[in-house]
Every structure is written in structure tokens, then in C-alpha cells.
Amino acid sequence: SAVMPRVALLLGLAGLIPFGYTALVTLRPELTYDEFGARDVALGYGFAIFCFMSGAFWGFAAKSASRAAGLGYVLAVLPVLALLGVVASGYTTLLEALLVGFPALLPLDAFFTWRGMAPRWWLNLRLLLTAGVVIFLGVVTFG
């Protein structure tokens, strides 16, 4: 397996800070001074990062000369469409959909990695970051 670039790891971990903030403020609301609640921050940032992941998948497909690139484009747009469909159905909230949605991206991460479209270290990074996101969103959702 290829070595993960340090900058990718550091920026990925830094990307967990807003999620960590929302979990901390959920547990200790007196630590915040702004008008935005932890749920609002988690929703906005979580949706932005979820969309970012679809964009990353699209980029992997666009860069690939593989026969699987066509399928890659389809898989890149499905997460956001599925997320919006689930929320529009009224079956769940956006926060709950994100809590389930981030782990649901992992098979796509695996597909892009195993097909050689994503760097070999990608899946390891995504497993680490997804664990953090799920823990923090779990606190916000159920805390």
C-alpha cells in the first residue's frame, strides 16, 4: 500500500475539527458564544463535506482511463441524490441521513481504490476520517 501523504492526513484530520466542535458544544453548550447551534453547524458542514466527497469521486472518474470510469461518474452523483431523496421522503432528518450516509460512502471509496482510480492510500484515510465523523455526528444526533 502506498504511503499516505502527510498533508492529506493533516488536512483530513483538520477537517474533523468542525465536527468535533459540534460534538463538544452538544455536550457542553456553555462553551459556545455564537448564535449557531451545534446542529446547525453539523448540518451545514456535514452536507458540504458529503457533497465534497461526491466531487472527489467525480474527479477520480474524470482522471481515469479505465473502463470503469463511466460507472465511476454514476457512482459519484448517487450519494448526494440518495441523501436528498431520503431527506425529501420525510423518513429521516438530514442529520440522521448524514450519520448513515458517511459510512455508506465507504463502499464507493473501496470501489475507486480497488479499481485504481483513487490513490492506494485513499481508503485508509477515509476509514479513519469516517470513524471520526460518525462518532462526532453521533454525539450531535443523540447527545
Side-chain angles (χ1 to χ4, degrees):
S1 135
V3 175
M4 185 183 313
R6 184 178 304 267
V7 68
L9 176 61
L10 293 176
L11 288 173
L13 292 172
L16 290 177
I17 292 170
F19 288 115
Y21 164 80
T22 63
L24 179 63
V25 171
T26 297
L27 297 174
R28 303 276 312 272
E30 70 275 10
L31 295 178
T32 188
Y33 60 87
D34 64 35
E35 70 269 14
F36 297 109
R39 291 177 83 80
D40 293 332
V41 173
L43 287 171
Y45 186 69
F47 186 69
I49 295 301
F50 197 85
C51 292
F52 174 85
M53 290 310 307
S54 281
F57 296 149
W58 184 275
F60 293 150
K63 188 177 176 192
S64 176
S66 154
R67 291 186 56 180
L71 177 57
Y73 285 117
V74 173
L75 294 176
V77 298
L78 284 181
V80 172
L81 295 176
L83 183 74
L84 293 175
V86 167
V87 173
S89 75
Y91 179 72
T92 189
T93 67
L94 177 57
L95 192 57
E96 292 164 343
L98 289 169
L99 183 59
V100 173
F102 277 103
L105 293 174
L106 291 173
L108 300 180
D109 291 304
F111 169 82
F112 284 101
T113 302
W114 294 337
R115 296 299 285 213
M117 290 187 253
R120 290 184 304 199
W121 50 263
W122 179 259
L123 186 56
N124 290 332
L125 178 63
R126 292 286 301 125
L127 287 166
L128 173 67
L129 298 178
T130 299
V133 168
V134 168
I135 289 167
F136 293 141
L137 285 180
V139 169
V140 174
T141 304
F142 302 111

